[in-house]
Amino acid sequence: MIYLLGVSIVFAGPNPPPPNPNKKPPPPPGLPIDENLFALFIIAILIGAYIIYRHNLKTKTPI
């Protein structure tokens, strides 16, 4: 019973105002994708080499 009453409170909120047809939506934020690509590439190479090296160590050890 408490669960059902809690759900009804969620649906009892006020409706949001309708959008203004004369107003344009805000432009998306200008996020630079090309920033620090060289550093990200080097980090990806290092992490990949570390994972391959760790995998090779696990496979070379005798059981």
Side-chain angles (χ1 to χ4, degrees):
M1 187 67 175
I2 294 174
Y3 176 74
L4 292 175
L5 291 175
V7 172
S8 67
I9 292 172
V10 173
F11 292 116
N15 291 333
N20 188 354
N22 297 332
K23 186 177 178 185
K24 293 182 180 180
L31 300 175
I33 297 175
D34 297 338
E35 192 171 315
N36 298 328
L37 280 181
F38 183 72
L40 291 174
F41 182 71
I42 297 298
I43 291 170
I45 295 293
L46 291 174
I47 290 174
Y50 171 73
I51 290 172
I52 291 171
Y53 176 73
R54 189 179 63 181
H55 178 71
N56 285 339
L57 283 179
K58 287 181 182 178
T59 57
K60 287 183 181 179
T61 55
I63 297 177

